[in-house]
Amino acid sequence: MFTFPRRLASTAALVSMVTLGLAACGGTTKDSAAQSTGAPASAAAPASANPNAPLKEGLKIAFLPKQINNPYETIVDKAGIEAAKEFKGEAKEVGPSDASASSQVSYINTLIQQQQDAILIAANDANAVCGPLKQAMSKGVKIVSYDSDAAKDCRNLFINQADSEDIGRSQVKMLADMIGNKGEIAILSATANATNQNAWIGFMKDELTKPEYKDMKLVKVAYGDDDDQKSFQETQGLLQAYPDLKGIISPTTVGISAAARYISGSKYKGKITLTGLGTPNQMREFVKDGTVQQFALWNPKDLGYLAGYAAAAIASGQITGAEGEKFTAGKLGEYTVGKDGEVILGKPFVFKADNIDEFDF
Amino acid sequence: MAPDVTTADPADDVKVPAPAGRGRSPFGRFLRWDVLVGVLLVLVFIGGSAGSPGFASIDNLSFALGDLGEIALIALAMTMLVVAAEVDLSVASVLGLSSALVGALWDAGWAIETIIPLVIVVGAVCGLVNGLLVTRLGLPSLAVTIGTLALYRGLAYVVLGDRAIAEFPQQYADLAVGDVPGTPIPYPVMLFVVLAAVTGVVLHATGFGRSLFAIGAQEEAALFAGIRVKRIKLILFVLSGTVAAFAGVVYTLRYGSARADNGVGLELAVIAAVLLGGVDFDGGKGTLGGVIAGVLLIGLLRNLLMLNDVSTEIQSIVTGLLLIISVITPRLVAAAGQRRRSPSPTSSSTPPES
């Protein structure tokens, strides 16, 4: 019995020596691989776009969300399927029940076998889906990512909800309108190093330098770390530290709902104006009880609708995904493809008491 | 259809010193579950080819086989463990830990040629920990590996957090994704065929393999017969961890994305395939051929259901039912066989049948 562990130990020692030996010899590292990568061959020769081509009838398109039965994604995809009815296409939604990195991959394969004209994907992992998507593209299937992008060379188009500048500037405008361009304001963000949050806050600060906001003063940026309880406490702290505070912008769905919950139950209700980015289901009660007048997010219905039309436009040859091409997305009107094949849905959508009940997510 | 029932030695489990009363009637020969699974597999294949365009295409089958790669590899080691009446639930977490390590070390600028052997050694150590806890402390492997399932997954998150590392060298990615030149057979499947052949021989044609069946059937008896039960079990756990770590490398390269959450829940697919293949969860009974048929059946059935737009919920209901049937049926057959042989008072009292 005692010989075994010893033998095992010597085997382990041998293996680690071999390992070290290999390490000493060098080998393929991140840097050397990056150097050896030559010019990447583009997946397909850029076909020329024909802006006057009609939308083909009977196009087969499939929505592949991050996860099936997720209320937000269901709204997006349903709207896309509605759009397909308008241009007489066949659309469907398929997808995995868990949002793990690799779960979408086998769906991409089956969609290729089903000879779909376009696959619309909200990628769980920008790279894990890349191989099969490239395979699909090499077989002539058009790939449109929406909501959450795949790696740039693995899709033709990305339908982006809203751009950072629009989000940042519109949040300031929204709050300024409600407080009459006057008073102290604060921001309740998520984490201090969240890229998207910081980009928005950068544009908010820039917007505040404009002359029309000279009477508005940003006193503090607080961080709730996307934690409900911490955001709640940070709100409490802001209101105690700045008794003259007039407004709070919380550009995070966790932050805004925690802040609204604190304000609605405190003496500050009605004295402080709160806005930011939130979802209708989280914010409904606070809009109804008057704590919050308005907040923003993109309209998921429009996102799905636009994605559906974009897929039809590219599958019909109206566009190829090159910058500057234009296409019409039904009732939403004309859109232009931006840099890196990005199409931006538009300004953030504002939710108020009179429209909030139209949304369930 | 490269790996098939052929790797099994169909007559083999006759040699097994099975506990009294397991069905050995003439009917039993034909009603063996693993043969039925093989037949079912052929039926799914024929039905799929006829009814679903795209199913029998080379691309689709090649993809479906490649997609099963990691499950199939891990199932080889799991078959041996379950035959010896043990189980390793931590395999998917070892896969995740291995994936996370590959990502973290690659990101830190290590050479992939160093990373791969190192990660496999880590997998062996994970297996060794499982094995020592089971054999030295005498703990049940189900409990031990539920614990290490959480432990190893936790370590994976410590190593890589919620980051995803991509852009691995093309030549290695090709090994995980590409096909053997001139054939539609993905490299990992080729590797699996070789390993399956080795495992089949070890399990069904060597003394070591026979001792696994003996341990699974009657551990006490095996011990008295001079089989070094603890040592063999330790080897099996180390093997299981090693294979899982290797599968983690394949998984990472195949998806081109190293993440701590890779392969979550994969252990269930592996165990489902092993049980569906006719291996008795109580140990001592089963064939590798059955397990391979089980892996293929689950994989191709799922592929077929997806091609026909059957929702994820229904897919899991189908696999769940299949699994339950596979566990129940052999017992019903055995019970029926036993009833046919007029039960003597001695034989009915001996089997510790659950």
Side-chain angles (χ1 to χ4, degrees):
Chain A
M1 272 312 217
F2 288 106
T3 57
F4 180 64
R6 206 178 303 148
R7 210 182 304 156
L8 192 78
S10 56
T11 315
L14 186 73
V15 173
S16 34
M17 271 164 63
V18 172
T19 308
L20 286 174
L22 282 168
C25 298
T28 319
T29 62
K30 199 172 144 195
D31 298 334
S32 73
Q35 281 162 13
S36 67
T37 312
S42 56
S48 58
N50 174 11
N52 299 319
L55 288 185
K56 285 184 191 158
E57 285 190 13
L59 285 171
K60 284 167 75 179
I61 67 173
F63 285 80
L64 180 49
K66 287 185 168 184
Q67 183 180 21
I68 212 107
N69 297 334
N70 166 320
Y72 168 79
E73 310 227 358
T74 304
I75 291 177
V76 176
D77 295 351
K78 260 192 189 157
I81 293 168
E82 286 300 312
K85 278 185 194 149
E86 292 179 15
F87 55 76
K88 298 193 176 61
E90 280 176 52
K92 64 176 177 183
E93 183 198 40
V94 294
S97 53
D98 66 305
S100 77
S102 56
S103 51
Q104 289 175 316
V105 169
S106 30
Y107 282 91
I108 299 171
N109 170 59
T110 47
L111 291 172
I112 298 174
Q113 303 308 327
Q114 292 173 342
Q115 296 175 328
Q116 301 287 328
D117 294 298
I119 298 173
L120 293 109
I121 182 170
N124 279 328
D125 178 308
N127 293 298
V129 290
C130 206
L133 286 182
K134 275 187 182 162
Q135 208 182 352
M137 285 161 81
S138 74
K139 294 190 155 78
V141 183
K142 302 297 176 194
I143 308 296
V144 178
S145 62
Y146 64 101
D147 198 46
S148 169
D149 200 5
K152 283 185 180 54
D153 53 344
C154 309
R155 46 85 173 153
N156 301 103
L157 284 177
F158 171 43
I159 312 302
N160 200 347
Q161 298 87 327
D163 81 333
S164 300
E165 182 162 359
D166 269 345
I167 290 180
R169 295 192 191 280
S170 67
Q171 299 265 294
V172 172
K173 279 182 203 138
M174 203 157 52
L175 183 62
D177 284 350
M178 289 188 278
I179 62 173
N181 291 27
K182 204 182 240 176
E184 291 184 352
I185 64 164
I187 294 172
L188 174 64
S189 178
T191 56
N193 51 13
T195 327
N196 56 354
Q197 295 279 329
N198 289 342
W200 297 333
I201 293 170
F203 285 112
M204 288 181 204
K205 287 181 176 165
D206 188 67
E207 180 73 14
L208 283 169
T209 59
K210 289 186 179 169
E212 62 258 45
Y213 306 115
K214 63 179 181 351
D215 294 330
M216 269 167 78
K217 190 179 168 225
L218 177 64
V219 291
K220 177 157 186 180
V221 180
Y223 298 97
D225 292 342
D226 260 346
D227 177 273
D228 182 73
Q229 202 167 346
K230 179 137 196 274
S231 305
F232 189 90
Q233 288 161 355
E234 286 292 329
T235 312
Q236 209 171 5
L238 279 175
L239 292 171
Q240 276 161 10
Y242 304 97
D244 294 332
L245 203 64
K246 284 282 173 287
I248 297 177
I249 301 174
S250 184
T252 149
T253 56
V254 178
I256 191 175
S257 61
R261 207 170 68 246
Y262 174 69
I263 294 169
S264 72
S266 74
K267 61 179 177 176
Y268 301 102
K269 185 174 167 184
K271 292 179 187 150
I272 184 119
T273 307
L274 173 68
T275 191
L277 298 178
T279 66
N281 284 357
Q282 278 179 316
M283 299 303 292
R284 196 176 324 272
E285 57 174 308
F286 306 117
V287 169
K288 299 233 157 140
D289 76 4
T291 308
V292 174
Q293 293 171 39
Q294 50 180 315
F295 63 96
L297 203 67
W298 41 90
N299 182 334
K301 284 184 183 168
D302 288 349
L303 180 65
Y305 185 87
L306 172 60
Y309 265 98
I314 197 162
S316 304
Q318 279 183 357
I319 55 172
T320 62
E323 189 171 353
E325 292 172 344
K326 291 181 193 312
F327 67 98
T328 305
K331 63 181 183 202
L332 292 180
E334 193 178 71
Y335 280 84
T336 308
V337 180
K339 199 170 159 285
D340 292 326
E342 256 187 60
V343 178
I344 291 169
L345 174 63
K347 306 254 177 266
F349 184 83
V350 177
F351 295 93
K352 302 175 188 174
D354 57 8
N355 67 10
I356 195 165
D357 283 336
E358 293 166 29
F359 299 91
D360 180 19
F361 68 97
Chain B
M1 297 316 304
D4 211 330
V5 238
T6 45
T7 36
D9 178 356
D12 222 67
D13 84 353
V14 182
K15 297 176 201 155
V16 174
R22 297 266 166 111
R24 283 286 166 272
S25 64
F27 272 119
R29 287 291 173 101
F30 296 100
L31 281 178
R32 281 187 26 174
W33 179 259
D34 48 1
V35 177
L36 283 181
V37 174
V39 171
L40 205 53
L41 175 63
V42 173
L43 288 180
V44 164
F45 187 76
I46 295 174
S49 315
S52 300
F55 175 74
S57 80
I58 298 291
D59 277 348
N60 185 52
L61 291 180
S62 168
F63 180 90
L65 286 181
D67 212 21
L68 288 172
E70 297 86 20
I71 294 176
L73 283 174
I74 297 176
L76 292 178
M78 190 70 81
T79 304
M80 295 207 267
L81 269 174
V82 178
V83 162
E86 299 290 347
V87 72
D88 183 356
L89 293 179
S90 71
V91 281
S93 297
V94 173
L95 185 151
L97 175 58
S98 138
S99 182
L101 270 175
V102 169
L105 296 176
W106 175 251
D107 197 42
W110 288 47
I112 194 92
E113 292 84 358
T114 313
I115 297 174
I116 293 174
L118 184 75
V119 161
I120 291 173
V121 170
V122 171
V125 172
C126 289
L128 184 67
V129 170
N130 285 335
L132 287 176
L133 287 172
V134 170
T135 58
R136 297 297 141 107
L137 300 182
L139 302 170
S141 57
L142 201 65
V144 165
T145 57
I146 284 177
T148 52
L149 177 152
L151 173 69
Y152 298 154
R153 186 65 72 181
L155 286 175
Y157 279 104
V158 170
V159 168
L160 199 60
D162 57 3
R163 289 190 296 156
I165 307 293
E167 288 171 18
F168 294 101
Q170 196 56 44
Q171 66 269 36
Y172 287 91
D174 285 346
L175 275 182
V177 184
D179 297 335
V180 178
T183 68
I185 303 164
Y187 280 114
V189 172
M190 206 60 220
L191 177 78
F192 170 76
V193 171
V194 174
L195 291 181
V198 173
T199 313
V201 169
V202 169
L203 187 63
H204 295 298
T206 66
F208 180 80
R210 207 157 309 147
S211 56
L212 299 187
F213 284 99
I215 293 170
Q218 275 286 342
E219 190 171 326
E220 293 276 290
L223 201 61
F224 286 126
I227 295 172
R228 302 170 87 168
V229 173
K230 288 189 173 178
R231 175 174 152 175
I232 287 178
K233 284 189 176 175
L234 194 61
I235 293 174
L236 292 182
F237 277 107
V238 171
L239 208 63
S240 174
T242 310
V243 171
F246 181 72
V249 173
V250 176
Y251 192 103
T252 306
L253 293 174
R254 197 159 67 84
Y255 289 115
S257 181
R259 296 172 66 115
D261 66 352
N262 273 349
V264 168
L266 195 93
E267 69 280 347
L268 295 180
V270 173
I271 289 167
V274 170
L275 295 186
L276 182 62
V279 178
D280 194 326
F281 200 62
D282 294 334
K285 203 160 176 268
T287 60
L288 191 66
V291 172
I292 294 170
V295 172
L296 290 175
L297 182 60
I298 289 184
L300 290 187
L301 195 59
R302 181 153 178 267
N303 180 273
L304 192 58
L305 293 175
M306 272 165 64
L307 272 177
N308 288 294
D309 289 337
V310 175
S311 69
T312 320
E313 297 85 346
I314 305 295
Q315 285 177 35
S316 50
I317 291 174
V318 170
T319 2
L321 283 178
L322 201 60
L323 194 61
I324 291 171
I325 293 169
S326 77
V327 176
I328 292 175
T329 315
R331 283 170 196 246
L332 288 181
V333 170
Q338 206 171 350
R339 214 168 297 131
R340 254 197 307 276
R341 288 194 310 275
S342 52
S344 69
T346 45
S347 79
S348 62
S349 63
T350 38
E353 201 69 67
S354 51

